Amino acid sequence: MSKALPNYGSSRPVSRPLEGALDRLFDSRNVWSVTVAATALYLLFFVGYPILYNVIMSFQEVSVSNVGRLDRPWVGFANYQRLIGDPLFPLVVKNTIVFVSLSVILQCACGLALALFFQQRFPGSGALRGVILAGWILPPLVVGAIWKWLLASDNGVFNYALQSIGLISGPVYWLSDPSSSLLAVTLANVWFGVPFNMILLAAGLSGIPREIYEAAMIDGAGPFRRFTAMTLPMLRPTLYALVALSTIYTMRSFDVIWTMTHGGPIDSSNVFPIWSYKLSFDIFDFAGGAAASTMMLIVVFFVALIYVRSVRAEARA
């Protein structure tokens, strides 16, 4: 019995030539050459040129009068030597290491805990996961403003909660005390980055077959043994990617810290992005700011290189 063909309406005869032309266009080798060339030009102009300009500036003597030109006096590594000899350099390095290390470790740990938690089926899990993800879509400036209010010494939620349960007897000056300002901005950055870590780790967990867990349970493996012997090894590629991406994102954190403390008080929460900005736009030391950002660029490049080599080694294994 013959089967009736579907009626596509009067537009069908018109769309066939168009579809054919599109098919020939996308099958052509020229279109891929054009798209690759357009992508390369975009990356060169919007990514490569600013980076190259910044690196060149870090080797020159730059002032307000010649910042718009490229033919500036060449000073070699003098700007880097001046930065390394600056009394502020050891403090900024220490703050950056503490800020990045704590942020990456806590973001990964909290993200993994939440991903494992939401792997369990319970009523309202979807809504609760959506609430947690809502924090991730907020602009960093808004996150900084919210945490500045939460940690306010006079009427902040944190001080009120800690005083209510008797952990502190008086207000803690989270943002104006040099001993606690770095911890305060780190907590805000951890809160901001946890949802991103949770998403990636949840995707990694969903790729682990449930059958091997069932087989391990039959063999008598407990939850801790299954986590250390099965979950963590199988999540290793995801964790590599997560640590690399979190390190890169954290090293360029600026908005949250700037909104909360401006790098203060007395540079107690000053990290490389804040220092680079202050050098360039507070005291107009453009070459010093370019040298500081180039140092960060080198560190980020090596983190990305380690990640790529780890992924390749994992793929060959």
Side-chain angles (χ1 to χ4, degrees), residues 118-146:
F118 284 114
Q119 215 181 14
Q120 313 302 317
R121 297 182 183 277
F122 59 91
S125 63
L128 190 55
R129 189 186 294 121
V131 170
I132 293 175
L133 289 177
W136 187 44
I137 64 176
L138 293 174
L141 284 173
V142 176
V143 173
I146 291 173

Short mmCIF file of all heavy atoms in Angstrom, two decimals, residues 118-146:
data_model
loop_
_atom_site.label_atom_id
_atom_site.label_comp_id
_atom_site.label_asym_id
_atom_site.label_seq_id
_atom_site.Cartn_x
_atom_site.Cartn_y
_atom_site.Cartn_z
N PHE A 118 23.61 16.27 45.39
CA PHE A 118 22.50 16.35 44.43
C PHE A 118 22.42 15.13 43.53
O PHE A 118 21.52 15.03 42.71
CB PHE A 118 22.63 17.61 43.58
CG PHE A 118 22.22 18.86 44.32
CD1 PHE A 118 23.14 19.83 44.63
CD2 PHE A 118 20.90 19.03 44.72
CE1 PHE A 118 22.77 20.97 45.32
CE2 PHE A 118 20.51 20.16 45.41
CZ PHE A 118 21.44 21.13 45.72
N GLN A 119 23.38 14.21 43.67
CA GLN A 119 23.26 12.94 42.96
C GLN A 119 22.18 12.06 43.58
O GLN A 119 21.65 11.16 42.93
CB GLN A 119 24.61 12.21 42.95
CG GLN A 119 24.87 11.44 41.69
CD GLN A 119 26.19 10.71 41.72
OE1 GLN A 119 26.80 10.55 42.77
NE2 GLN A 119 26.62 10.24 40.57
N GLN A 120 21.89 12.33 44.86
CA GLN A 120 20.82 11.59 45.53
C GLN A 120 19.46 12.15 45.09
O GLN A 120 19.35 13.34 44.85
CB GLN A 120 20.96 11.73 47.05
CG GLN A 120 22.36 11.51 47.58
CD GLN A 120 22.92 10.15 47.23
OE1 GLN A 120 22.21 9.15 47.32
NE2 GLN A 120 24.18 10.10 46.81
N ARG A 121 18.51 11.29 44.98
CA ARG A 121 17.17 11.71 44.55
C ARG A 121 16.34 12.04 45.80
O ARG A 121 16.16 11.19 46.66
CB ARG A 121 16.50 10.61 43.75
CG ARG A 121 17.24 10.28 42.46
CD ARG A 121 16.49 9.21 41.67
NE ARG A 121 17.23 8.86 40.46
CZ ARG A 121 17.18 9.54 39.32
NH1 ARG A 121 16.40 10.61 39.26
NH2 ARG A 121 17.88 9.15 38.28
N PHE A 122 15.85 13.27 45.88
CA PHE A 122 14.98 13.67 46.97
C PHE A 122 14.08 14.81 46.48
O PHE A 122 14.43 15.54 45.54
CB PHE A 122 15.78 14.10 48.20
CG PHE A 122 16.71 15.25 47.96
CD1 PHE A 122 16.30 16.56 48.16
CD2 PHE A 122 18.02 15.02 47.51
CE1 PHE A 122 17.16 17.62 47.94
CE2 PHE A 122 18.88 16.08 47.28
CZ PHE A 122 18.44 17.38 47.51
N PRO A 123 12.91 14.98 47.11
CA PRO A 123 11.98 16.03 46.65
C PRO A 123 12.59 17.42 46.77
O PRO A 123 13.23 17.74 47.79
CB PRO A 123 10.78 15.87 47.62
CG PRO A 123 10.89 14.51 48.16
CD PRO A 123 12.35 14.17 48.21
N GLY A 124 12.41 18.21 45.73
CA GLY A 124 12.90 19.59 45.76
C GLY A 124 14.35 19.75 45.37
O GLY A 124 14.90 20.86 45.49
N SER A 125 15.00 18.66 44.93
CA SER A 125 16.43 18.77 44.60
C SER A 125 16.66 19.71 43.42
O SER A 125 17.64 20.47 43.40
CB SER A 125 17.01 17.38 44.29
OG SER A 125 16.39 16.83 43.14
N GLY A 126 15.76 19.67 42.43
CA GLY A 126 15.91 20.53 41.26
C GLY A 126 15.80 22.01 41.63
O GLY A 126 16.60 22.84 41.19
N ALA A 127 14.81 22.34 42.48
CA ALA A 127 14.63 23.73 42.89
C ALA A 127 15.81 24.21 43.73
O ALA A 127 16.30 25.34 43.56
CB ALA A 127 13.33 23.87 43.68
N LEU A 128 16.29 23.33 44.62
CA LEU A 128 17.42 23.71 45.47
C LEU A 128 18.69 23.91 44.64
O LEU A 128 19.48 24.85 44.88
CB LEU A 128 17.65 22.62 46.52
CG LEU A 128 18.64 22.94 47.64
CD1 LEU A 128 18.25 24.22 48.36
CD2 LEU A 128 18.70 21.77 48.63
N ARG A 129 18.86 23.05 43.63
CA ARG A 129 20.03 23.21 42.75
C ARG A 129 19.94 24.53 41.96
O ARG A 129 20.93 25.22 41.76
CB ARG A 129 20.11 22.03 41.78
CG ARG A 129 21.41 21.99 40.98
CD ARG A 129 21.39 20.90 39.92
NE ARG A 129 21.35 19.59 40.52
CZ ARG A 129 20.39 18.70 40.30
NH1 ARG A 129 19.37 19.00 39.52
NH2 ARG A 129 20.43 17.51 40.87
N GLY A 130 18.72 24.87 41.57
CA GLY A 130 18.53 26.14 40.85
C GLY A 130 18.85 27.34 41.72
O GLY A 130 19.41 28.33 41.24
N VAL A 131 18.50 27.26 43.01
CA VAL A 131 18.81 28.37 43.92
C VAL A 131 20.33 28.55 44.04
O VAL A 131 20.85 29.68 44.04
CB VAL A 131 18.18 28.11 45.31
CG1 VAL A 131 18.68 29.12 46.33
CG2 VAL A 131 16.66 28.18 45.21
N ILE A 132 21.05 27.43 44.14
CA ILE A 132 22.51 27.52 44.25
C ILE A 132 23.12 28.08 42.97
O ILE A 132 24.03 28.91 43.01
CB ILE A 132 23.09 26.13 44.59
CG1 ILE A 132 22.65 25.72 46.00
CG2 ILE A 132 24.61 26.13 44.49
CD1 ILE A 132 23.06 24.33 46.39
N LEU A 133 22.58 27.65 41.84
CA LEU A 133 23.12 28.14 40.57
C LEU A 133 22.82 29.61 40.35
O LEU A 133 23.51 30.29 39.59
CB LEU A 133 22.54 27.33 39.40
CG LEU A 133 23.04 25.88 39.29
CD1 LEU A 133 22.32 25.18 38.15
CD2 LEU A 133 24.54 25.87 39.04
N ALA A 134 21.78 30.13 41.02
CA ALA A 134 21.42 31.54 40.83
C ALA A 134 22.56 32.46 41.26
O ALA A 134 22.73 33.54 40.69
CB ALA A 134 20.16 31.86 41.63
N GLY A 135 23.34 32.03 42.26
CA GLY A 135 24.46 32.85 42.68
C GLY A 135 25.52 33.00 41.62
O GLY A 135 26.23 34.02 41.56
N TRP A 136 25.63 32.00 40.75
CA TRP A 136 26.66 32.01 39.72
C TRP A 136 26.37 33.01 38.60
O TRP A 136 27.27 33.51 37.95
CB TRP A 136 26.83 30.60 39.16
CG TRP A 136 27.96 30.45 38.22
CD1 TRP A 136 29.24 30.94 38.36
CD2 TRP A 136 27.94 29.76 36.98
NE1 TRP A 136 30.01 30.59 37.28
CE2 TRP A 136 29.23 29.86 36.42
CE3 TRP A 136 26.96 29.05 36.29
CZ2 TRP A 136 29.56 29.29 35.20
CZ3 TRP A 136 27.28 28.47 35.08
CH2 TRP A 136 28.57 28.59 34.54
N ILE A 137 25.07 33.28 38.37
CA ILE A 137 24.71 34.17 37.26
C ILE A 137 24.77 35.65 37.66
O ILE A 137 24.59 36.51 36.83
CB ILE A 137 23.31 33.83 36.71
CG1 ILE A 137 22.24 34.09 37.78
CG2 ILE A 137 23.24 32.40 36.23
CD1 ILE A 137 20.83 33.86 37.28
N LEU A 138 25.00 35.91 38.94
CA LEU A 138 25.09 37.30 39.38
C LEU A 138 26.41 37.92 38.89
O LEU A 138 27.44 37.24 38.87
CB LEU A 138 25.03 37.39 40.90
CG LEU A 138 23.71 37.01 41.57
CD1 LEU A 138 23.88 37.02 43.08
CD2 LEU A 138 22.61 37.97 41.15
N PRO A 139 26.41 39.19 38.52
CA PRO A 139 27.67 39.85 38.16
C PRO A 139 28.60 39.92 39.38
O PRO A 139 28.13 40.05 40.52
CB PRO A 139 27.22 41.26 37.74
CG PRO A 139 25.77 41.14 37.45
CD PRO A 139 25.24 40.05 38.33
N PRO A 140 29.91 39.81 39.17
CA PRO A 140 30.85 39.86 40.31
C PRO A 140 30.71 41.12 41.15
O PRO A 140 30.90 41.06 42.37
CB PRO A 140 32.22 39.79 39.63
CG PRO A 140 31.96 39.15 38.31
CD PRO A 140 30.59 39.56 37.89
N LEU A 141 30.39 42.25 40.53
CA LEU A 141 30.21 43.47 41.31
C LEU A 141 29.05 43.35 42.29
O LEU A 141 29.12 43.82 43.43
CB LEU A 141 29.97 44.66 40.37
CG LEU A 141 31.20 45.21 39.64
CD1 LEU A 141 30.80 46.25 38.62
CD2 LEU A 141 32.19 45.80 40.63
N VAL A 142 27.98 42.70 41.85
CA VAL A 142 26.82 42.49 42.73
C VAL A 142 27.19 41.53 43.86
O VAL A 142 26.81 41.74 45.03
CB VAL A 142 25.63 41.96 41.91
CG1 VAL A 142 24.45 41.63 42.82
CG2 VAL A 142 25.21 42.97 40.85
N VAL A 143 27.94 40.47 43.52
CA VAL A 143 28.39 39.52 44.55
C VAL A 143 29.23 40.25 45.60
O VAL A 143 29.06 40.06 46.81
CB VAL A 143 29.18 38.37 43.90
CG1 VAL A 143 29.80 37.48 44.98
CG2 VAL A 143 28.28 37.56 42.99
N GLY A 144 30.14 41.10 45.14
CA GLY A 144 30.96 41.85 46.09
C GLY A 144 30.14 42.78 46.97
O GLY A 144 30.38 42.88 48.18
N ALA A 145 29.13 43.42 46.37
CA ALA A 145 28.28 44.32 47.16
C ALA A 145 27.46 43.55 48.19
O ALA A 145 27.28 44.01 49.33
CB ALA A 145 27.35 45.10 46.23
N ILE A 146 26.95 42.37 47.81
CA ILE A 146 26.17 41.55 48.75
C ILE A 146 27.04 41.11 49.92
O ILE A 146 26.65 41.21 51.09
CB ILE A 146 25.58 40.33 48.01
CG1 ILE A 146 24.50 40.77 47.02
CG2 ILE A 146 25.01 39.32 49.01
CD1 ILE A 146 23.99 39.65 46.14
#
